[in-house]
Amino acid sequence: TRDRALTFPLLCTALMRLPQSSIKHELEDLFACLVPGDDFVRPTTSAFSQARSHLLPTAFTELADMAREHVYKERAADQLSLWDDLRLVAIDGSTIRLPDSASVRLEFEVDADETPLARISQCHDVLNNIIVDAAIGPLSTGEREMAIDHLLRLGSGDLLLVDRGYAAHWFFLLAELCGVELCARVPANHSLAVRDFFASEREAATITLEPTEVSRERIGELQSQTGVSLDCIPIQLKAVRIELESGEVEILLTSLVQPDLTIDDFSHLYSLRWGVETIYRQEKLPAEMENFTGKTALAVRQEYFATVFACTLAAVLALPAAKIVEEETSHRTLSYRINFKSVLCAFRRQIARLLWNIHPLRAMKRFLGLAIDEPVAVRPGRSFPRKPKVNPLRYPFAYKGII
């Protein structure tokens, strides 16, 4: 064996600290944190590149699974927020801009403007800000296809929120077969049953979704892939009509049939789906997910799953802070939550000390202190008109930041 300055634990630590400047500066900062004084030899950027070429991205997915298992299976239940005793999860997809290289173009594809992009998908615990599962693939991969693996990680005790992009009989059937409760928005012309409900102007009704030819084909493919017998059968769901302030009518399909749930309850429930959109904003802006330190397809996968793990671990560590904010602001008119940008900032500053057991109690105290700083007021019913999309900030390799 060889003595290496950049061992596997150090390499993982460097990548999960949400690097935003050059590798040279990131390694300098990391080693200055871990080794007091000037008595250390910083690995070269070449050594970093060589070391990462042997690192599988699954290292970060396995670490993230361990963090989630600690929370959900050995969990301190009093620190987790639930909705009617159910874990509230939402699935949604997005795209991220990638560095331009032959390796990336071959694996992830480009858009009409010749910009390399990847399709990403995540399942998010929206009440606790924890990423339950994540995936990345070529731009041509469909969001529903990527969501299948997310669904297979869920089960009884989960309530899934999805938008109109997931409105398909086979997807709803798969959720039912997994034992997952469902609340999904669908287009008013989604199916004959939904169209009839929309035309009836009733507030709520039980409808039956019949299998389509696409459903039979998709369920048949899943049956072949999994080896599990799946029957493509009709499913019954409750349809709910919600009148938005804009005058638009929102149609929800749900498996929840509790008689005490009102239309307002369903409206509020579906509004909580926005949490999955928020985590994408946090990943792309404060965490700078698209600010890659490597140009290869392997580096893209490493840094994507490292960022997912970092956000997951940060959310887990911040659970006590969330309860502190809730208790300290309970007397106010509005409810408050922790500012996740502050959480990520605290995570980047303290995670190396926590992982390497360098004054861990002091580091955790500082982390929680930063995490509860400047809580954010939750203002129900706020909405803003969508603005035209602009090109997101680019991160040139030759001009890395100095933060």
Side-chain angles (χ1 to χ4, degrees), residues 30-31 34 49 55 60 86 101 112 114 214 241 262 286 322 373 384:
L30 174 60
F31 275 74
L34 298 180
S49 297
L55 178 65
F60 295 106
L86 295 170
S101 70
E114 290 294 306
V214 173
R241 173 194 300 271
T262 66
D373 191 31
F384 301 94

Side-chain angles (χ1 to χ4, degrees), residues 14 47 95 111 166 201 218 257:
T95 59
D111 66 1
Y166 298 87
E201 298 188 353
R218 197 68 195 91
V257 293

Side-chain angles (χ1 to χ4, degrees), residues 371-393:
I372 64 176
D373 191 31
E374 297 181 353
V376 179
V378 179
R379 303 179 188 276
R382 280 206 311 176
S383 63
F384 301 94
R386 289 182 178 267
K387 296 181 180 179
K389 287 188 177 180
V390 296
N391 288 332
L393 177 66

Side-chain angles (χ1 to χ4, degrees), residues 10 29-41 358:
L10 279 170
D29 188 47
L30 174 60
F31 275 74
C33 172
L34 298 180
V35 184
D38 299 325
D39 189 23
F40 66 89
V41 178
I358 300 173

Side-chain angles (χ1 to χ4, degrees), residues 32-79:
C33 172
L34 298 180
V35 184
D38 299 325
D39 189 23
F40 66 89
V41 178
R42 175 184 55 78
T44 64
T45 54
S46 175
F48 179 86
S49 297
Q50 292 178 50
R52 79 179 309 172
S53 68
H54 303 290
L55 178 65
L56 294 177
T58 51
F60 295 106
T61 60
E62 292 174 11
L63 287 169
D65 285 342
M66 291 170 61
R68 296 183 200 105
E69 184 175 3
H70 175 74
V71 173
Y72 291 126
K73 293 188 177 177
E74 305 173 11
R75 72 191 192 194
D78 59 325
Q79 292 186 355

Side-chain angles (χ1 to χ4, degrees), residues 14 35-36 53 67 164 177 188 239 246 251 295 312 326 339 357 372 381 384 391:
V35 184
S53 68
R164 288 171 288 188
L177 293 173
S246 63
I251 303 296
K295 294 184 178 181
T312 301
E326 184 180 329
N339 185 335
N357 206 31
I372 64 176
F384 301 94
N391 288 332

